[in-house]
């Protein structure tokens, strides 16, 4: 296999662990706290999860745990979109297993959850594992978005695990994947299947977090990768002095990526979707705020700048959110009939007839290309695929028209030339930063320790992340503790509640205190590429979000 010099060097990197996990695995004992409850819908969720609801938060202390040395088989699945560090989660899990008993086996199911139901898998060896340590991507076993949600699928999972003598499953994924993990854990308990299930928090979006899950893995690397690119564009903008760059960033349900990148790079405008929703800003108001900055800078002779746009912005604008909600319900309820409409014109006409008056007006006022994007195939959860909606182009088109009118009226004399970008896939499989390499390895090793202590229905948790790795705190959080009920395909279903940007939180306040200056003054910051070797302040820092949260 051809490898780059950096890849070869990264193989030799030894990830750091929390102090408690450095002990012999049979000398790490679980310490359980008080019973917990879900973030909402407590009674309904208690009925849905009678065996796994209300479990205590788990921590670790030094103590005897003889079962940690037992030879076991563990299955592992990568689920959903890629995030930097996934390979190190598996490496940590593998090393923990082998540290417990060299005869233990790690079975990787290929292509995501479907690999489990179809029994397509490989057994990890030292040689195979060593080819993927500290590298980006999910190509070690592949990933997939198959949802495990039917009893037939669950029973197949039991059969496959029994056939392979697997006593525990580790599911590495985001909120939906970990919801699947909780449902599987509950089903296995009901069926007395003796198969443990542990989840690992993954998503570059950063919206899988709470007091025990301080950040999901991959967020650090992805935001540093995007911030390098944004900084490069800012330097170019400040050099050419003739373009406004509109940069859409991944993050459908929350604006954590946009906020972190703004803190790192200081753009002229960074839209935070949660603020738009809180202030009930219309599309016209969002556009108006950007235009104010463009006009103010033009008066100073600066006809250039950078605007950060969260991927999910369109769903947070009140009239657009209502429209999208109506579209999702309509297309879910009338899926069969809608499939018979072959042309966009027929689809659009039927949609307009069935929308509310207000939503029909909003839909009709949108550019034709945005209308088409709103009617594309739904995602696996029945929702519009927001990443396909070119929100940055929509903003540019409206701004261009508005500035043209203002110029005619004598209210604007600048020049508006624009470029648009979407940074998404560029960050999902980057070489993990030292932080993510350490964090992911710790999450995987920690998952094994949770298994070795007999727990199921838990998510691997490593806290105190703004400190050096030796001070990190390992443990586990019941997945049901993070859940609520949400509308999916027209029905209420249990899901992990997404964590949104908190407008009264320290990171947003730090951003809000500076953005008026950044809007008018060219205050760009240039983070540069991720560094792996050198002083701690360059190579081993967490995100600004984490540092500000823990000040």
């Amino acid at each position: 296999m051809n490898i780059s010099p950096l890849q070869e060097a990264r193989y030799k990197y030894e990830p750091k662990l929390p102090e408690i996990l450095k002990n012999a695995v049979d000398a790490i004992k679980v310490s359980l706290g008080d019973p917990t409850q879900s973030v909402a819908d407590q009674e309904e969720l208690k009925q849905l999860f009678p065996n796994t609801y209300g479990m205590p938060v788990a921590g670790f202390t030094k103590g005897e745990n003889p079962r940690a040395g037992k030879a076991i088989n563990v299955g592992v699945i990568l689920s959903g979109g890629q995030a930097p560090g996934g390979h190190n989660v598996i490496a940590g899990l593998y090393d923990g297993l082998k540290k417990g008993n060299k005869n233990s086996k790690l079975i990787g199911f290929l292509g995501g959850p479907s690999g489990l139901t179809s029994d397509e898998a490989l057994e990890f060896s030292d040689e195979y594992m060593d080819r993927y340590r500290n590298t980006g991507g999910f190509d070690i076993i592949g990933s997939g978005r198959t949802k495990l949600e039917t009893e037939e699928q669950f029973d197949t999972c039991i059969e496959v695990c029994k056939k392979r003598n697997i006593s525990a499953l580790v599911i590495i994924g985001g909120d939906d994947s970990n919801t699947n993990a909780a449902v599987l854990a509950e089903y296995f308990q009901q069926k007395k299947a003796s198969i443990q299930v542990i989840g690992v928090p993954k998503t570059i979006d950063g919206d899988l977090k709470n007091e025990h899950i301080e950040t999901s893995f991959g967020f650090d690397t992805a935001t540093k990768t995007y911030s390098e690119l944004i900084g490069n564009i800012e330097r170019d903008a400040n050099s050419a002095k003739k373009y406004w760059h509109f940069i859409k960033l991944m993050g459908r349900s929350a604006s954590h990526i946009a906020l972190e990148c703004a803190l790192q790079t200081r753009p002229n405008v960074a839209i935070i979707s949660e603020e738009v929703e809180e202030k009930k800003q219309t599309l016209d108001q969002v556009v108006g705020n950007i235009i104010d900055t463009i006009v103010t800078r033009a008066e100073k002779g600066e006809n250039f700048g950078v605007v950060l746009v969260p991927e999910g912005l369109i769903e947070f604008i009140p009239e657009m959110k209502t429209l999208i909600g109506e579209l999702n319900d309509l297309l879910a309820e009338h899926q069969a009939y809608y499939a018979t409409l072959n042309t966009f014109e027929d689809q659009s006409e039927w949609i307009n007839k069935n929308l509310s008056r207000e939503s029909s007006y909003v839909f009709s006022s949108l550019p034709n290309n945005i209308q088409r994007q709103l009617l594309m195939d739904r995602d696996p959860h029945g929702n519009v695929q927001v990443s396909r909606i070119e929100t940055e182009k929509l903003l540019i088109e409206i701004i261009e028209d508005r500035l043209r009118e203002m110029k005619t009226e004598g209210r604007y004399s600048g020049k508006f030339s624009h470029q648009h970008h979407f940074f998404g896939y560029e960050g999902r499989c980057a070489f993990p930063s030292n932080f993510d390499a350490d964090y992911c390895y710790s999450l995987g090793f920690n998952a094994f320790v949770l298994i070795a202590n007999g727990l199921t229905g838990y998510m691997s948790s490593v806290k105190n992340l703004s400190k050096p790795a030796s001070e990190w705190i390992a443990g586990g959080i019941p997945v049901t503790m993070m859940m609520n009920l949400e509308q999916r395909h027209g029905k209420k279903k249990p899901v992990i509640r997404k964590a949104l940007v908190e407008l009264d939180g320290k990171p947003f306040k730090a951003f809000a205190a500076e953005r008026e200056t950044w809007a008018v003054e060219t205050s760009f910051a240039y983070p540069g590429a991720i560094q792996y070797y050198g002083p701690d302040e360059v190579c081993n820092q967490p995100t600004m979000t984490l540092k500000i949260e823990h000040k």
Side-chain angles (χ1 to χ4, degrees), residues 74-92:
V74 173
V76 64
I77 298 168
L78 290 168
S79 181
Q82 292 85 319
H87 290 166
N88 266 29
V89 175
I90 295 176

Side-chain angles (χ1 to χ4, degrees), residues 275-331:
E275 183 181 28
V276 170
E277 183 174 53
E278 174 71 21
K279 293 182 176 179
K280 296 182 170 57
Q281 293 178 348
T282 64
L283 183 57
D284 279 348
Q285 288 172 319
V286 172
V287 166
N289 292 338
I290 301 171
I291 287 175
D292 288 345
T293 298
I294 292 172
V295 171
T296 301
R297 287 180 63 78
E299 289 170 353
K300 297 174 61 183
E302 295 188 321
N303 293 293
F304 66 93
V306 172
V307 179
L308 303 187
V309 182
E311 178 185 30
L313 169 65
I314 200 164
E315 286 192 300
F316 285 80
I317 297 170
E319 71 267 32
M320 295 301 299
K321 183 176 183 178
T322 301
L323 168 62
I324 289 170
E326 289 187 27
L327 285 174
N328 287 340
D329 289 344
L330 264 179
L331 298 184

